[in-house]
Amino acid sequence: MKSDHNTHPGPNADQQERARWMSVLAKAPDETLAEAVAQFGELPAYLWLRKPETGLAMVRARTGGSGTQFNLGEMSVTRCALRLSSGETGLAYVAGRSVRHAEWAAIFDALMQTDAKAIVQSTIIAPLEKILAVQRAETVAAAKASKVEFMTMVRGEDA
């Protein structure tokens, strides 16, 4: 009889949605996130489950984008976990060494699990998504502008 212990169901819709907003919070530029926090107003009280700590994570890559994996190098990552006084847990993993960025990302992750979700979505997540989309479009445009098209000419005697 074949064992199915290696098959895992994919993430459900709630997990995918949480992964999306956690990604937005993690990728937001520090100064942009700071402005959003200032506009948001007073942040809720919370208890640290894991205070922000910075360490290294190994970055893996693939040859040619789809070939064999290899260790590309290490990058700094800051992580933390907290619990709001209402009981929701917020987590954050952000690239770099910004303790404040990780703290804010964890707070908003927790708030997205409360009745304040709609407010956080409209005042924090949606504006950050727009900024990240613009940055992504600029990066794609810059890459396309530097793309070189190669063509092979057929020599007369080969035709």
Side-chain angles (χ1 to χ4, degrees), residues 80-103:
C80 68
L82 52 81
R83 179 170 293 130
L84 299 181
S85 55
S86 57
E88 293 78 15
T89 301
L91 306 171
Y93 283 81
V94 298
R97 306 176 66 80
S98 177
V99 169
R100 195 56 131 176
H101 186 151
E103 178 183 8

Side-chain angles (χ1 to χ4, degrees), residues 110-134:
L111 283 171
M112 284 292 287
Q113 300 169 60
T114 69
D115 293 339
K117 180 179 181 174
I119 296 167
V120 174
Q121 175 64 37
S122 64
T123 62
I124 303 293
I125 306 298
L128 291 176
E129 280 180 317
K130 288 179 185 172
I131 290 167
L132 291 172
V134 167

Side-chain angles (χ1 to χ4, degrees), residues 53-59 73-79 93 96-97:
E53 54 190 10
T54 300
L56 294 174
M58 179 59 67
V59 177
E74 294 176 329
M75 66 179 278
S76 296
V77 176
T78 304
R79 69 177 180 177
Y93 283 81
R97 306 176 66 80

Side-chain angles (χ1 to χ4, degrees), residues 19-47:
R20 181 190 55 78
W21 79 60
M22 289 178 79
S23 175
V24 168
L25 290 166
K27 292 175 184 174
D30 285 349
E31 61 281 350
T32 307
L33 185 57
E35 291 169 12
V37 169
Q39 291 175 0
F40 184 78
E42 188 175 340
L43 297 175
Y46 58 88
L47 169 72

